[in-house]
Amino acid sequence: MITVTGASKSYGDFAALDDVSLEIPAGTLTALLGPSGSGKSTLLRSIAGLERLDAGTVVIGGRDLTAVAPQKRGIGFVFQHYAAFKHMTVRDNVAFGLSIRKRPKAEIARKVDDLLEIVGLDGFQHRYPAQLSGGQRQRMALARALAVDPEVLLLDEPFGALDAKVRADLRQWLRRLHDEVHVTTVLVTHDQEEALDVADRIAVLNKGRIEQVGDPVSLYDSPANDFVMSFLGSVATLNGVLVRPHDIELEREASVELVPQGHAAPARVRARVERIVRLGFEVRVDLATDPGERFAVQMTRSQAADLDLRVGETVFARASRGQDPQLVGASAAI
């Protein structure tokens, strides 16, 4: 387990971390998610020992490592940029940490071959980094970090320099790799989809503080505040309140429903269809209200076909799933 308690770090007048406390259970993959400047990379580097905290402690596996040098913390670190030794082959890059630890040559060869097979680079042993794709170089970097059997693996936006398709493939691969090796892993990312896709737990940071920690489902379905909701997935503004675009229904008429006594009907907002965009299996409908508010609705292609919407026509939008209109700012019902 990694336990960070009361971590604070400032650079001049800027507080990168402001009394942050976080527990990361052993064997989990935890994502530190937040916008640029939220403190996520500073927190990761503090766990690694690459940043000295102004206040607070870092405990890993029951040992207080706050003042311990990075190389003595039992940590593997992978950066966004691969930092490969260009003059070394893939095999020698992965073996580097074992070689400087004077491990027996037979043990090194066996360990490197096993790792290259695990990361999907079997057969690439004698190539040089320049002969690999970006995704392959990043897998080599992960194999090199794992070679020394780290207690903790820290990943600082490891896929940020790659294109979208390669990034999506690698994050699925990372999840499978974690399920196989079970090393406690902390991933820094600003990509909400990446965090939702690979992490067991997500810590959402903002302005040097942690807004919420939990599993992806609970954070997405029950965000602690508007910041978490808006940062963890798409949102639309309906009646001045944040709503998930897929939780908005469109109707051609403002129908009247029977509702339980003491409850008000969900608010409806009159809006004009400005654009219809087909995104593979989904359809996004961009709408605008008379006061000039704009929002988007997501639906399936079959739902869009049933509505048969046209640009320029007027529809009525409402939050679905039976929310209390007082919770979605629906006092301006039409």
Side-chain angles (χ1 to χ4, degrees):
M1 174 181 283
I2 304 171
T3 304
V4 179
T5 305
S8 295
K9 177 68 178 180
S10 295
Y11 302 98
D13 294 333
F14 174 69
L17 295 176
D18 183 8
D19 193 24
V20 168
S21 295
L22 176 66
E23 287 191 354
I24 299 172
T28 61
L29 197 165
T30 297
L32 305 181
L33 177 67
S36 297
S38 62
K40 56 190 186 295
S41 288
T42 302
L43 178 56
L44 190 82
R45 291 174 63 85
S46 299
I47 294 171
L50 300 174
E51 296 284 355
R52 183 179 294 274
L53 292 171
D54 298 332
T57 59
V58 175
V59 176
I60 299 177
R63 297 180 299 143
D64 187 342
L65 302 181
T66 309
V68 174
Q71 62 270 25
K72 296 181 179 180
R73 294 195 180 198
I75 284 173
F77 207 115
V78 178
F79 297 91
Q80 177 175 337
H81 300 287
Y82 325 108
F85 298 112
K86 297 179 181 180
H87 65 287
M88 291 185 181
T89 63
V90 169
R91 171 185 286 278
D92 291 339
N93 264 283
V94 175
F96 180 77
L98 296 170
S99 298
I100 63 175
R101 287 168 173 79
K102 309 295 184 182
R103 299 287 179 84
K105 289 185 178 180
E107 177 188 337
I108 293 175
R110 183 174 61 255
K111 187 69 174 287
V112 170
D113 286 342
D114 288 345
L115 280 170
L116 290 177
E117 184 176 356
I118 287 172
V119 301
L121 291 178
D122 188 27
F124 291 78
Q125 286 90 333
H126 303 295
R127 294 195 185 186
Y128 289 89
Q131 297 173 305
L132 303 178
S133 69
Q136 289 169 335
R137 287 196 294 269
Q138 197 58 286
R139 283 188 278 167
M140 180 189 70
L142 281 161
R144 186 174 62 187
L146 290 168
V148 295
D149 296 321
E151 186 175 349
V152 171
L153 180 63
L154 304 180
L155 310 176
D156 192 359
E157 304 219 35
F159 311 138
L162 304 173
D163 64 63
K165 177 64 169 64
V166 175
R167 217 163 47 234
D169 291 342
L170 275 181
R171 68 185 183 224
Q172 293 177 16
W173 170 83
L174 174 63
R175 183 66 240 186
R176 292 194 299 269
L177 175 67
H178 180 267
D179 291 340
E180 186 169 344
V181 299
H182 296 295
V183 63
T184 304
T185 302
V186 186
L187 167 71
V188 161
T189 181
H190 64 272
D191 186 327
Q192 304 94 325
E193 186 176 344
E194 185 169 280
L196 290 168
D197 193 2
V198 304
D200 301 309
R201 300 170 76 250
I202 299 172
V204 181
L205 284 85
N206 181 34
K207 298 180 180 178
R209 300 186 67 87
I210 292 180
E211 298 282 352
Q212 189 175 2
V213 181
D215 65 87
V217 173
S218 63
L219 262 65
Y220 188 85
D221 290 344
S222 304
N225 51 45
D226 283 355
F227 176 84
V228 175
M229 183 173 183
S230 62
F231 201 79
L232 203 68
S234 299
V235 294
T237 302
L238 188 65
N239 275 336
V241 174
L242 296 179
V243 183
R244 298 290 184 198
H246 54 74
D247 285 337
I248 300 175
E249 293 181 350
L250 296 181
E251 302 171 332
R252 291 191 175 281
E253 297 180 358
S255 58
V256 177
E257 294 180 349
L258 294 176
V259 295
Q261 187 173 3
H263 291 73
R268 289 165 176 80
V269 175
R270 188 193 306 271
R272 181 181 67 261
V273 178
E274 289 197 324
R275 190 178 181 219
I276 301 171
V277 184
R278 287 167 177 81
L279 304 168
F281 65 92
E282 285 186 341
V283 175
R284 189 188 76 226
V285 182
D286 295 335
L287 302 114
T289 64
D290 288 338
E293 292 185 346
R294 284 178 166 77
F295 61 97
V297 176
Q298 288 176 304
M299 62 183 68
T300 65
R301 293 184 68 172
S302 61
Q303 289 172 326
D306 290 341
L307 282 170
D308 191 26
L309 297 173
R310 295 287 185 271
V311 172
E313 71 176 309
T314 297
V315 294
F316 294 88
R318 66 167 180 169
S320 63
R321 299 171 64 183
Q323 292 103 321
D324 187 328
Q326 292 182 350
L327 299 179
V328 295
S331 59
I334 296 175

